[in-house]
């Protein structure tokens, strides 16, 4: 049984995450996802919309995911590979050649998969924020001046 491991925050789960998990699972038989805890996200300077428990439940509902474990620090990866008998660590290409993953090569394969363009948690937040702003602007009643000077 070929065992795969990947890491991430997986907040506001989107199609880029799903595609990564699907392709990672296709590289083996068993997929472990090390999910960043809320405390570790603070270290990564990320503030997830959903807390760890919610993000964990969402990942566990995905057919490609076999086990979700906590990612609590940068240093745990070698231990994770040993503890879960991992054959390959798989990450999106934004991590390509990162020392954080290259150090795992003596213990397992390290594979980077093309990142899905056009979608990201940050973009979702920005787009939703923009829509909300536009919506709010439309709801602000016109002033008397604007009414009298409407083009
Ligand atoms: N991803 C992707 N395509 C996107 C967005 C994300 O393939 N459009 C991939 C990322 O490359 C990563 C995984 O989905 O492999 C999870 O993405 P994030 O939740 O943003 O993970 P990140 O914050 O990069 O955390 O120790 C490693 C870190 O925990 C990785």
């Amino acid at each position: 049984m070929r065992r795969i491991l990947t890491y991430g925050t997986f907040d506001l789960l989107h199609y880029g995450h799903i595609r990564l998990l699907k392709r990672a699972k296709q590289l083996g038989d068993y997929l472990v996802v090390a999910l960043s805890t809320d405390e570790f996200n603070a270290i990564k300077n990320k503030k997830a919309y959903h807390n760890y428990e919610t993000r964990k439940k969402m990942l566990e509902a995905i057919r490609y995911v076999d086990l979700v474990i906590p990612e609590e620090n940068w240093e745990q990866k070698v231990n994770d590979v040993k503890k879960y008998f991992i054959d390959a660590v798989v990450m999106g290409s934004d991590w390509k050649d990162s020392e954080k993953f290259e150090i795992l090569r003596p213990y397992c394969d390290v594979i980077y998969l093309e990142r899905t363009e056009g979608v990201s948690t940050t973009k979702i937040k920005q787009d939703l924020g923009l829509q909300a702003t536009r919506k709010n602007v439309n709801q602000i009643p016109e002033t008397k001046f604007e009414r009298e000077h409407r083009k």
Side-chain angles (χ1 to χ4, degrees):
M1 172 189 274
R2 186 162 165 81
R3 301 164 67 86
I4 311 291
L5 170 63
T6 189
Y7 291 82
T9 297
F10 295 98
D11 190 33
L12 298 184
L13 210 54
H14 56 66
Y15 189 57
H17 296 139
I18 300 298
R19 275 195 75 239
L20 187 284
L21 295 168
K22 179 176 183 177
R23 288 174 293 158
K25 182 60 178 285
Q26 286 170 340
L27 293 172
D29 311 285
Y30 189 88
L31 175 60
V32 181
V33 179
L35 179 63
S36 307
T37 61
D38 299 327
E39 297 74 15
F40 184 51
N41 273 331
I43 294 170
K44 294 199 300 186
N45 287 323
K46 276 196 162 186
K47 175 85 182 75
Y49 179 82
H50 292 301
N51 66 23
Y52 176 78
E53 280 312 314
T54 300
R55 288 181 285 120
K56 182 171 187 280
K57 287 191 189 97
M58 290 175 80
L59 280 174
E60 287 171 339
I62 298 171
R63 71 173 77 169
Y64 310 119
V65 176
D66 296 290
L67 176 67
V68 179
I69 63 172
E71 179 189 26
E72 296 169 301
N73 55 64
W74 292 115
E75 296 78 27
Q76 71 182 70
K77 295 184 175 65
V78 171
N79 286 337
D80 291 343
V81 169
K82 292 176 183 172
K83 181 176 176 184
Y84 294 95
F85 305 100
I86 298 300
D87 298 291
V89 167
V90 175
M91 292 298 291
S93 50
D94 45 318
W95 287 94
K96 189 164 174 34
D97 303 332
S98 161
E99 199 45 39
K100 291 181 168 61
F101 292 95
E102 292 302 306
I103 54 162
L104 300 174
R105 287 202 185 281
Y107 308 97
C108 64
D109 296 339
V110 178
I111 300 165
Y112 302 105
L113 300 174
E114 266 318 294
R115 187 183 164 84
T116 302
E117 290 314 316
V119 62
S120 70
T121 304
T122 305
K123 187 176 181 320
I124 292 168
K125 287 178 180 175
Q126 284 168 348
D127 290 357
L128 289 177
L130 200 54
Q131 277 174 8
T133 310
R134 275 206 199 103
K135 189 163 170 285
N136 294 343
V137 164
N138 295 335
Q139 284 173 340
I140 299 168
E142 271 186 323
T143 62
K144 186 171 176 301
F145 177 83
E146 284 167 329
R147 242 185 338 272
E148 286 162 5
H149 293 78
R150 196 185 309 145
K151 298 260 183 301

